[in-house]
Amino acid sequence: MSVTTIATPFEKLNEIGLKVSNKVHYQRDPKDLAEDTVRMKEGEYNDTGALVIKTGEFTGRSPKDKFTVKDEVTENTVHWNDFNIALDEKHFFIIRDKIVHYLNELDELWIRDAYACADPAYRINIRIVNEKPWINLFSYNMFLRPTAEELKNFNAEWTILSAPGLQLDPKECGVRQGNAAVISFKHKTVLIAGTGYTGETKKGIFTVLNYILPQEQNVLSMHCSANMGKEGDTALFFGLSGTGKTTLSADPNRKLIGDDEHGWTNTGIFNFEGGCYAKTIDLSEEKEPEIFRAIRPGALVENTTFIPGTKTIDFSSKEITENTRVSYPLDFISNALEPSVGGIPKNIFFLTCDAYGVLPPISKLTPEQAMYQFISGYTAKVAGTEAGVTEPKSTFSACFGAPFLPLHPGKYAEMLGKKLNETKANVWLINTGWTGGGYGVGNRMKLSYTRAMITAALEGKLNNAEFVADPIFGVLVPTECPNVPTEILTPRNTWADKNAYDQAAKNLAAQFVTNFKKYESGVSADILAAAPKI
């Protein structure tokens, strides 16, 4: 077993009791990290050379087990709620000590220095300490990678300690169960225990940036993907998981800036990350060629199974989870933009997968409607189909990313509203969900049609189109769109039972209004007036 020579001092780790010794693998490259994983019998290669692993009990984030330390820094700044759950500082110290002790007892550790934010003006340096080499590979893929010269004087501002094999005592540690992800803004530390789900690492730093950038740097942090056209025009794609952020931003005719997390400054936008973390359920080369081809040596594939008797991944399988994923560096995408920095956005797309089949496939929003939809953050999925539940389930997630927003949603919405007024960017609502009826009756909108609608918007082909206001939601629906059948643009026309559509639309409108009540006191009358009409 070879261990990489340590080239960077680790005083801050020593100060908290972590014994950084010859057992440490520092800045291992992807090939070595994959070999370490296979050597430990924690992963295997598929037939294209990608590393395939299982994350264990947790195959997704655990929002109820994510905690923020409540202290003099955060007490009056964090918006405490079901996502921002307070933890006493004394429990932070207990958990940190337990993780340090646990890591000190291991035969090997993997440490990586990386950074977030592609714009140098906002860069934060991160040191990640891992129990598992495959989580270190995930960190290599997802964060930005310092040069050898930059590593010589690397000063880590934030530290991530990851110990998925450690089960916490809930009573002693002040947590809900044996796993926890804890953020301390005072100590600039993220603690992860009891879960091997790699996304906790990435979303921990995203949450950190969502706290720091708006307050300290006047930068709007966003849960969105972004790309750039040949003329330098930038587009943003907001949406919850499963709405198409990654798929629709990976456009062969545009440069990919990033697929998930960005900041908007006075001069443009920048990616927080150095990689992509794409869903792979039902992945095919035909539908998503860039993502499909990114599954090669260096990529990390999570919680998939093989076709029996082969090393070919069965992307249709939900045997382990529906949330199957792959992480890979941004440059695995053939048209990735480097550095991943773009100009002021000209077009902004809010993506929703409306399983009720009610919302138009494309509509234009006024600034007030944009603010209403942004604060609402709507999508609807089909929940629990394996158990026979076929009714759609609505999800409202403020700013399309509520679990990662430490500040009040109104802060991010206010910043977006100001930028929309300053830049006059076009805002479009895109329904990637059902048409011709809700789930079980209608069909999922064809990806080719969605791409055609977005392309038309990006190329200005809808600038002179005729628009008709939707009678309930008020959004402006084009009567024509290049390469899209006219009859699908107005959703009511696609339903065989028009009365059933009217009832479904009223029901969804009522859900919007009910959800928005919690924000009424903090928004303007103009935004309230953009609500659906019941």
Side-chain angles (χ1 to χ4, degrees):
M1 180 187 74
S2 64
V3 179
T4 310
T5 302
I6 298 171
T8 303
F10 295 112
E11 285 92 344
K12 290 181 181 177
L13 297 180
N14 294 330
E15 287 171 8
I16 63 171
L18 193 67
K19 299 172 186 174
V20 181
S21 63
N22 289 334
K23 69 179 182 178
V24 167
H25 302 276
Y26 177 68
Q27 290 313 88
R28 294 278 266 179
D29 66 30
K31 182 180 178 182
D32 288 335
L33 290 169
E35 286 296 310
D36 289 344
T37 302
V38 173
R39 166 175 58 82
M40 297 171 67
K41 296 183 169 52
E42 295 198 3
E44 54 188 318
Y45 299 108
N46 80 325
D47 55 6
T48 68
L51 180 65
V52 181
I53 57 95
K54 294 178 175 61
T55 61
E57 178 185 356
F58 294 94
T59 58
R61 291 180 303 101
S62 186
K64 292 181 180 178
D65 301 301
K66 177 189 169 195
F67 301 90
T68 302
V69 178
K70 191 171 188 178
D71 52 31
E72 64 272 22
V73 174
T74 58
E75 184 175 6
N76 298 316
T77 52
V78 167
H79 180 229
W80 304 105
N81 55 24
D82 291 344
F83 297 118
N84 298 314
I85 305 167
L87 186 76
D88 287 342
E89 189 176 25
K90 67 177 183 181
H91 289 126
F92 165 79
F93 287 126
I94 291 171
I95 295 170
R96 190 180 70 178
D97 288 347
K98 286 187 174 296
I99 291 177
V100 167
H101 176 77
Y102 177 84
L103 295 176
N104 282 339
E105 296 295 309
L106 298 176
D107 293 331
E108 299 177 76
L109 283 181
W110 286 263
I111 297 182
R112 175 159 307 282
D113 287 338
Y115 66 97
C117 300
D119 186 328
Y122 306 101
R123 170 175 172 168
I124 69 164
N125 288 345
I126 307 159
R127 177 159 292 156
I128 307 118
V129 183
N130 292 120
E131 172 188 1
K132 302 293 186 183
W134 43 272
I135 301 183
N136 205 256
L137 174 59
F138 176 85
S139 300
Y140 173 90
N141 287 344
M142 296 310 302
F143 294 121
L144 289 150
R145 296 162 281 278
T147 63
E149 191 64 28
E150 288 171 329
L151 286 171
K152 289 180 181 177
N153 299 299
F154 191 88
N155 179 34
E157 298 167 71
W158 278 79
T159 303
I160 302 174
L161 303 179
S162 169
L166 172 64
Q167 288 293 307
L168 302 175
D169 179 337
K171 187 175 181 181
E172 182 184 7
C173 297
V175 295
R176 191 177 69 101
Q177 52 185 27
N179 63 295
V182 179
I183 297 174
S184 169
F185 288 97
K186 178 180 175 181
H187 300 286
K188 296 188 175 183
T189 299
V190 178
L191 305 176
I192 302 170
T195 172
Y197 182 61
T198 57
E200 295 285 11
T201 298
K202 154 188 157 74
K203 290 304 186 187
I205 292 299
F206 185 39
T207 303
V208 167
L209 293 169
N210 285 333
Y211 182 84
I212 294 172
L213 293 177
Q215 290 192 112
E216 300 177 11
Q217 307 271 12
N218 194 33
V219 172
L220 172 58
S221 53
M222 304 174 294
H223 186 211
C224 69
S225 59
N227 62 26
M228 180 190 289
K230 293 172 183 174
E231 304 302 317
D233 58 300
T234 300
L236 303 180
F237 299 79
F238 287 86
L240 301 176
S241 178
T243 57
K245 276 201 323 299
T246 301
T247 298
L248 293 169
S249 57
D251 184 332
N253 298 312
R254 296 174 66 83
K255 292 285 189 181
L256 178 69
I257 300 172
D259 81 326
D260 198 44
E261 304 171 4
H262 293 84
W264 187 343
T265 70
N266 291 331
T267 58
I269 65 113
F270 63 90
N271 191 357
F272 290 169
E273 302 183 292
C276 298
Y277 192 38
K279 296 190 84 166
T280 62
I281 195 70
D282 294 323
L283 180 67
S284 70
E285 187 169 19
E286 179 186 5
K287 287 194 299 184
E288 297 170 281
E290 288 282 358
I291 298 172
F292 188 88
R293 293 167 195 160
I295 298 178
R296 53 190 171 92
L300 179 70
V301 184
E302 300 175 3
N303 300 315
T304 58
T305 56
F306 295 130
I307 294 171
T310 76
K311 292 296 180 183
T312 302
I313 295 172
D314 181 0
F315 290 113
S316 68
S317 174
K318 302 174 185 176
E319 182 180 328
I320 299 172
T321 178
E322 190 172 334
N323 188 36
T324 53
R325 296 265 184 174
V326 59
S327 70
Y328 47 85
L330 200 61
D331 60 14
F332 275 30
I333 298 295
S334 62
N335 60 338
L337 181 67
E338 291 190 44
S340 46
V341 177
I344 299 292
K346 289 184 66 176
N347 287 282
I348 298 170
F349 299 93
F350 293 165
L351 307 175
T352 179
C353 177
D354 178 22
Y356 297 104
V358 164
L359 294 176
I362 182 169
S363 54
K364 195 171 185 180
L365 306 181
T366 66
E368 293 76 23
Q369 289 170 340
M371 297 304 299
Y372 187 92
Q373 292 293 333
F374 183 66
I375 294 171
S376 297
Y378 164 74
T379 194
K381 301 178 183 179
V382 179
T385 52
E386 293 92 347
V389 179
T390 57
E391 288 298 312
K393 182 178 180 182
S394 298
T395 298
F396 292 93
S397 185
C399 311
F400 297 101
F404 322 116
L405 304 182
L407 309 177
H408 191 285
K411 172 67 174 177
Y412 308 95
E414 178 187 347
M415 294 181 77
L416 178 65
K418 184 179 179 184
K419 290 188 178 295
L420 292 179
N421 287 326
E422 290 172 351
T423 64
K424 309 303 180 188
N426 295 316
V427 185
W428 308 87
L429 181 64
I430 303 290
N431 176 16
T432 63
W434 269 253
T435 182
Y439 177 84
V441 177
N443 299 298
R444 187 84 188 258
M445 184 66 62
K446 286 185 179 179
L447 180 59
S448 59
Y449 291 161
T450 300
R451 286 197 186 280
M453 288 181 260
I454 288 174
T455 298
L458 290 170
E459 294 179 351
K461 292 179 179 176
L462 297 179
N463 289 355
N464 298 316
E466 180 185 350
F467 289 86
V468 176
D470 183 279
I472 292 180
F473 292 90
V475 296
L476 298 174
V477 182
T479 57
E480 290 184 310
C481 180
N483 302 311
V484 179
T486 301
E487 60 269 17
I488 74 167
L489 295 174
T490 304
R492 188 175 189 271
N493 293 345
T494 67
W495 283 52
D497 186 340
K498 302 297 190 282
N499 290 331
Y501 171 83
D502 293 340
Q503 189 58 51
K506 289 175 183 175
N507 289 343
L508 179 58
Q511 291 185 56
F512 267 90
V513 171
T514 299
N515 171 72
F516 209 85
K517 287 187 184 299
K518 63 174 81 82
Y519 306 114
E520 285 180 349
S521 61
V523 301
S524 69
D526 289 341
I527 294 174
L528 285 175
K533 304 297 184 288
I534 303 175

